[in-house]
Amino acid sequence: MTFNFTTRESTPKLCLDLDSDTTYIVNITAPTSTEIFTLIFIAIQREVKEAFSNLLILNETCLKWQRSVRLANTEEIYLFHIQGQRWYQKKFFHEMTFNFTTRTKTPEVCLDLHAGTNYTVNITTTTLDLSVLVPMTTNITDPPFPDIKFVTVEGPVPLLTLRKAEDINGPISFYQVIVLPLSLQNTFTCDSSAALTFFSNVTNTEGYVAAEFLAEDVADNMAISLGDRHYYGKFYNAPLKRGKYYCIILRIISEWNKVRTQSCAVWAQIKDLSPTLQYMTAVGLGSVAAVFIILSLSFLTARTVHVPSATLARRPSSYEIICLSTTVEAAGARIASSTQGTERVSFL
């Protein structure tokens, strides 16, 4: 036999369909380099195939096989040694050892295995001293329920905080922030495969994905601002409309070995959306600036000198002219110091 074997794992395992009572030489070579190769001698005993014939894996976690005919109706003790590892959790290691005694011709054993894990099961017969190695892989299950703080507000959009989920049932792949009309909260299904963008034709009635984050890009207690007009992944975080009622959902997605699972939680309810804090701050600052300008103009107007028309209509005496000139000069000096300009005052 000649074939290729591709793997990403640091400790790959490969099972071969070999004939019993035969000695094999296995030559393993890395195609990228002719200097990397190894030779393995394998001697297959006839008794091994007889003791574990028709070995099957059922429902991912169960093993079933046929015993040798000459061992029928006799009690046999099997020693199980199980080791499990995960490529996405380097520190994870699951190990079990136990004995299994049976008299049946077709024994069946179901194992308590973790989800999303690669296992190696070594089964040894204690009387015949024969063993077989069985690789097993369990599928992922739903990721843990999102650890979030539920928020309900009436007014501006709240700032949401995202916490990382643990890879206990499989590798976490994505985090999605979903915006729904509040009326659709009770009809939303977490396993919905439709990842609608804001620019889809039906977003007004079905909601949309506002942001998607890769698991490796998520930091614990990461702040998320809704409606900041940025793209996260291929999704647009569109501004929320005023006067609308919204439901915000966090969805955690796991993908591995062609299996996709997800868990969802309601993150926030927003009722009667009002302008954001930034918008209100800008409006407030603009109002303060306008009031300051009006007060400044009023102050300058109040300090301008007005000469009554009745005084100008009659001929002033020399004493009045001297006093009035002095007053006008003083007022002019104050106006010049405040406006840094020159103003002429003439008498009609």
Side-chain angles (χ1 to χ4, degrees), residues 185-198:
Q185 175 179 330
N186 294 331
T187 60
F188 174 78
T189 57
C190 187
D191 58 354
S192 173
S193 59
L196 299 176
T197 66
F198 175 76

Side-chain angles (χ1 to χ4, degrees), residues 280-338:
M280 296 176 65
T281 302
V283 172
L285 292 176
S287 301
V288 171
V291 171
F292 177 77
I293 293 174
I294 293 173
L295 291 176
S296 299
L297 291 176
S298 301
F299 178 74
L300 292 176
T301 303
R303 298 190 64 178
T304 305
V305 176
H306 298 278
V307 181
S309 57
T311 305
L312 297 177
R314 64 183 180 85
R315 183 182 181 87
S317 63
S318 59
Y319 175 77
E320 291 174 334
I321 293 176
I322 293 173
C323 294
L324 183 60
S325 299
T326 304
T327 303
V328 170
E329 289 174 359
R334 288 195 299 269
I335 294 174
S337 64
S338 61

Side-chain angles (χ1 to χ4, degrees), residues 49-273:
K49 274 210 166 184
E50 291 179 356
F52 299 97
S53 62
N54 297 327
L55 184 61
L56 299 175
I57 300 176
L58 306 175
N59 300 325
E60 294 185 355
T61 60
C62 297
L63 290 171
K64 184 177 181 180
W65 67 95
Q66 288 184 355
R67 298 173 61 197
S68 174
V69 177
R70 58 190 177 87
L71 296 177
N73 299 323
T74 61
E75 186 176 84
E76 182 67 47
I77 300 176
Y78 296 89
L79 174 62
F80 280 75
H81 183 203
I82 303 168
Q83 292 181 328
Q85 292 178 303
R86 292 172 173 171
W87 61 268
Y88 53 90
Q89 276 186 327
K90 301 301 182 183
K91 296 182 179 180
F92 177 87
F93 183 73
H94 182 208
E95 186 173 23
M96 294 186 297
T97 302
F98 61 90
N99 292 331
F100 173 69
T101 304
T102 182
R103 287 178 173 271
T104 62
K105 183 179 179 181
T106 56
E108 182 175 343
V109 179
C110 291
L111 308 173
D112 185 15
L113 305 180
H114 291 288
T117 308
N118 293 323
Y119 283 95
T120 299
V121 181
N122 190 353
I123 310 174
T124 304
T125 61
T126 57
T127 56
L128 299 177
D129 196 21
L130 300 175
S131 63
V132 64
L133 199 64
V134 184
M136 302 178 67
T137 299
T138 56
N139 284 329
I140 59 176
T141 57
D142 292 343
F145 195 73
D147 181 16
I148 57 177
K149 181 180 180 181
F150 175 72
V151 178
T152 177
V153 295
E154 293 185 11
V157 178
L159 189 66
L160 303 177
T161 302
L162 176 62
R163 296 185 180 94
K164 296 192 67 173
E166 296 184 11
D167 301 323
I168 58 176
N169 298 327
I172 304 298
S173 304
F174 304 102
Y175 294 80
Q176 287 185 346
V177 181
I178 302 174
V179 177
L180 291 175
L182 186 58
S183 58
L184 297 181
Q185 175 179 330
N186 294 331
T187 60
F188 174 78
T189 57
C190 187
D191 58 354
S192 173
S193 59
L196 299 176
T197 66
F198 175 76
F199 300 102
S200 301
N201 294 329
V202 291
T203 54
N204 289 334
T205 58
E206 296 187 12
Y208 58 93
V209 178
E212 181 179 82
F213 304 95
L214 292 173
E216 55 265 28
D217 296 334
V218 173
D220 206 11
N221 293 324
M222 185 175 74
I224 297 178
S225 178
L226 292 173
D228 62 2
R229 295 182 171 87
H230 293 163
Y231 275 90
Y232 297 94
K234 61 180 180 180
F235 300 100
Y236 178 58
N237 190 14
L240 304 184
K241 297 180 181 180
R242 294 184 58 185
K244 299 291 185 179
Y245 286 33
Y246 289 101
C247 172
I248 311 302
I249 292 177
L250 176 64
R251 176 160 63 186
I252 301 178
I253 301 174
S254 291
E255 292 181 341
W256 184 56
N257 201 22
K258 299 182 180 180
V259 176
R260 174 189 171 107
T261 61
Q262 54 276 315
S263 294
C264 293
V266 178
W267 204 353
Q269 289 180 345
I270 305 174
K271 302 178 180 180
D272 193 16
L273 182 65

